[in-house]
Structure formats: structure tokens, C-alpha cells
Amino acid sequence: EARQAASALSTPEAVEEFRLVWLGRKQGKLKQLSDSLLKSAAPEARREIGQRFNALKSVVESLLEDAAGAGPSDSALAAEAIDITLPSTRGLLGAEHPITRTMNEIVQVFAALGYSVGVGPEVETDFYNFESMNFPPGHPARDTQDTLVIANQERRPLRDRLLLRTHTSPVQMRTMEQQPPPLRIVIPGKVHRNEADDATHSSTFHQVEGLCVDTNITFSDLKGTLDHAMKALFGSSVKTRFFPSFFPFTEPSADVQISCIFCGGKGCRRCKQSGWIELLGCGMVDPAVFAFAAEKQPGYDPKKISGFAFGMGVERIAMMKYGVSDIGQFFSGDMRFLEQFA
Ligand code: FA5
């Protein structure tokens, strides 16, 4: 009977019906059979009845398996056919954000020179962000980096108060406290300032800090290193020049300009006709900074060692590399902008 029924199965619904009729747990024919036969059988006949029942059950199960495996009809398959030779619609692939990419590129340039990579906290203490970087309390240079402070800190001593770091320079001190000289490290990271946003300023931006400390490090080493880095980032025809500047934590200090990559130094709108664009600050580490580091690591004795440091704005470098004229685009999340970097 089961064989006959199975031979007529042509649709998935009929197969399911067959399963229910024969193998259904409550009302199935096999269930009824086992209830009536096995339970009422004489004890000495049970063994054989059981074996024959199991044989029957596996016949029905394999009939069901064959019927289910037979699948839908040829016409049903033809109706659902997919042409796998058609070109697919391409989904959007994620891509590295241009700021992340630029930051990694800068780090790579210095890693190739033997620099290691460090990080530090974005919520920083006044001590690391300012005091240990030789901005004493009340020093006017603090005003050059308008600071976003964490609320309700007034009861703490000034040096312990928390703020959003205004530059990556505090990680110089954190690194020196952990590692004796010699030291070569780059520190990529996010920084914040209480500044109005415009085409070239953002209240949140990124810097890559560099610090090199050893015996006999000179300003020539600083110039050579940064000139190499700018050529590695912008191409070998780029020129650099150094202008006197001021940072409390370096002496002497300099601002570094590169020849405008848009006009090759002739003068254009991007470089305000000057032929040069300012990209970063740098200088020789001030002995006062080494004195703070020497409190934890006596090796930072300014009589024995010297060093240079620099800090570059990643957005400014990315704007130059990719010809972006408004810094706000990096933070807009606008897919039309971001897709260009995919
Ligand atoms: C500093 O922050 C120093 N810590 C850099 C430094 C480190 C000097 C080590 C010496 C030794 P400054 O405030 O100039 O310096 O910022 C450094 C760079 O960050 C600038 O050259 C610029 O490229 C970028 N930058 C500054 N402010 C902004 C801003 N609001 N938006 C985007 N980029 C900015």
C-alpha cells in the first residue's frame, strides 16, 4: 500500500501528506499499527513482530526519502531558473577613511626609519597636556590651544584636572616616563580644541606626534628627517623650509612649510599666492621637558642627551594629498565624498 501511494507522489504537498499519513506521530498508520499490534501481542511473538515492524518502517522511510529527493518537476524548475551568466549588481564595499589612510601612511614613513608607534589617552590631565610640556599654570601660551575641559573638576589640584587633549604632545611625556633613552616614537591620535570650524579648522582633528631622543641629536637631524618624510608623502620634488616659531616644549622651535603641490611653488589660490603651505610644528626638545621626564627616568639628563619633536596635522596633510578644500568634508559622512576613496 505504501509503495503504491509513494509512486503517485508528484508535488511537495503530496509528499508531506504521505509523511503525515504514514509516519505522523499521533495518527500515522505506523503509529496505529505499533499501538494495536505490539501492545496486544503475546510476549513470545513480540520479538519477531518488532523486527518486522522496524523493517516496514524503514521501507516507508526510504520511500519518503526517495519521493522528497525527487524534487519539483522539470517545468517548475524551468520557471525558477536563474541565468548565472548575467553580470551582478555590485554592492558598496567599505573603504578606509581618508584620514585613517593618511595617518597610517605617515606612521609607515617613520616606521621605515625605525620609529615605534605609541598611543595615549584622549581625556588627559592638565599635568601631561600642559604643565609637563612646560606650559606653567597661567602661562599665556596656554591660550594658543583653547581647551575643552571636563566639568566639575574645580576641587582637584590644577595638575590633576581632566581635559580633552589639545595636542598629541602629552604622549611624549607618558612615553619618556616609561622608556629610558634612546627613543624614537610616532604617536597618531585625535585631539580637540574649543575652536570655531572653518574651511581649514576643525574642533576635532588628528595629529601625528614624533619624538627622537639620543646622544648628539641636532637640528640638522630634525631637518633631514622631516624633509625626507615630506618627500615620502608628497613626492621627491617637494621642497621644505623652516621658519622660527614658538612652542613652550621646544627650543628652538620651527614651523615647517612645503612647496605648494598644486602650483609647484609658483603661487595659486590654495597657497594664497605664496607658493608655500604650512603643515607642522617642530623643534629641539626643551631641557625643561627633559627635567620633568628625568624625575621618573634619570637617563633624560639634558646634559647627556638631546632630541627633537614634531607634530603634524593629519587633516591638513590629507587636504594637500587629495586636493580637498574644506576640512569639514572629512567629518560629514557624505557618501559622495567618501566613495571617491573606495
Ligand atoms: C601643536 O599642536 C604642537 N603640539 C606641535 C608640536 C609638536 C610642535 C612637537 C613642536 C614639537 P599646533 O597648534 O601648531 O602645534 O598644531 C600642529 C598642527 O596641527 C598644525 O600645523 C596644523 O596642521 C594642525 N592643526 C592645528 N589646529 C588645527 C585645527 N583646528 N584643525 C585642523 N588642523 C589643525
Side-chain angles (χ1 to χ4, degrees):
E1 188 186 337
R3 282 210 179 88
Q4 207 171 17
S7 68
L9 299 175
S10 59
T11 64
E13 293 77 24
V15 172
E16 176 61 9
E17 176 69 19
F18 175 86
R19 189 187 67 76
L20 280 175
V21 167
W22 285 90
L23 297 170
R25 280 212 199 136
K26 288 192 183 135
Q27 304 284 320
K29 286 188 188 231
L30 288 184
K31 165 82 172 131
Q32 286 169 18
L33 201 60
S34 80
D35 284 351
S36 61
L37 259 184
L38 281 175
K39 282 185 188 145
S40 60
E44 63 276 14
R46 278 209 184 135
R47 195 180 146 87
E48 203 195 332
I49 292 178
Q51 282 169 349
R52 295 181 68 173
F53 176 79
N54 283 342
L56 173 63
K57 192 170 173 207
S58 54
V59 167
V60 175
E61 279 170 350
S62 69
L63 285 170
L64 178 69
E65 229 167 76
D66 291 348
S73 65
D74 287 354
S75 59
L77 279 178
E80 286 180 15
I82 296 169
D83 182 355
I84 59 164
T85 64
L86 284 175
S88 61
T89 44
R90 279 190 69 178
L92 261 187
L93 277 185
E96 214 168 26
H97 190 280
I99 294 303
T100 313
R101 189 192 290 181
T102 306
M103 197 145 67
N104 289 342
E105 267 176 51
I106 299 168
V107 167
Q108 278 309 313
V109 168
F110 288 96
L113 295 176
Y115 283 61
S116 52
V117 184
V119 287
E122 248 174 273
V123 177
E124 190 48 284
T125 61
D126 187 278
F127 174 74
Y128 283 109
N129 196 78
F130 287 126
E131 195 178 332
S132 73
M133 286 289 108
N134 200 28
F135 295 80
H139 192 282
R142 287 178 172 233
D143 295 345
T144 61
Q145 301 189 1
D146 205 350
T147 310
L148 292 159
V149 298
I150 306 290
N152 305 323
Q153 301 278 305
E154 292 74 13
R155 301 225 317 262
R156 293 185 165 193
L158 178 64
R159 55 162 40 203
D160 296 336
R161 289 186 202 164
L162 299 174
L163 44 80
L164 296 184
R165 67 177 177 194
T166 55
H167 53 173
T168 41
S169 299
V171 193
Q172 287 188 29
M173 187 55 62
R174 288 185 175 275
T175 310
M176 286 192 281
E177 284 182 352
Q178 299 294 321
Q179 296 175 38
L183 187 71
R184 282 166 180 73
I185 190 161
V186 275
I187 303 141
K190 194 183 280 179
V191 303
H192 307 265
R193 294 185 191 176
N194 184 19
E195 269 178 31
D197 292 347
D198 65 23
T200 54
H201 292 83
S202 170
S203 53
T204 293
F205 60 101
H206 298 78
Q207 292 186 334
V208 175
E209 189 84 11
L211 175 66
C212 167
V213 185
D214 208 331
T215 48
N216 300 319
I217 298 287
T218 67
F219 201 88
S220 309
D221 296 317
L222 170 60
K223 286 183 80 170
T225 303
L226 289 178
D227 187 67
H228 165 79
M230 292 300 127
K231 288 182 162 65
L233 287 170
F234 293 107
S236 55
S237 59
V238 147
K239 295 192 192 70
T240 51
R241 63 180 192 181
F242 290 69
F243 272 82
S245 183
F246 174 79
F247 299 100
F249 38 95
T250 47
E251 181 60 35
S253 304
D255 282 325
V256 182
Q257 301 182 343
I258 66 166
S259 53
C260 179
I261 59 161
F262 299 107
C263 61
K266 287 195 218 54
C268 69
R269 188 174 51 84
R270 306 255 193 187
C271 57
K272 301 200 179 86
Q273 309 305 329
S274 71
W276 295 90
I277 291 190
E278 192 174 306
L279 278 188
L280 65 128
C282 65
M284 302 305 291
V285 178
D286 194 295
V289 172
F290 281 143
F292 275 106
E295 287 175 17
K296 296 235 169 101
Q297 291 281 356
Y300 289 100
D301 178 349
K303 289 193 204 72
K304 297 193 183 126
I305 45 109
S306 57
F308 65 72
F310 56 84
M312 40 185 106
V314 179
E315 282 75 6
R316 299 276 173 86
I317 290 178
M319 287 169 84
M320 287 284 285
K321 275 183 83 79
Y322 298 116
V324 174
S325 53
D326 180 359
I327 196 171
Q329 302 240 268
F330 291 123
F331 306 103
S332 67
D334 186 335
M335 291 302 288
R336 291 167 302 176
F337 174 72
L338 293 172
E339 274 168 9
Q340 298 175 83
F341 301 93

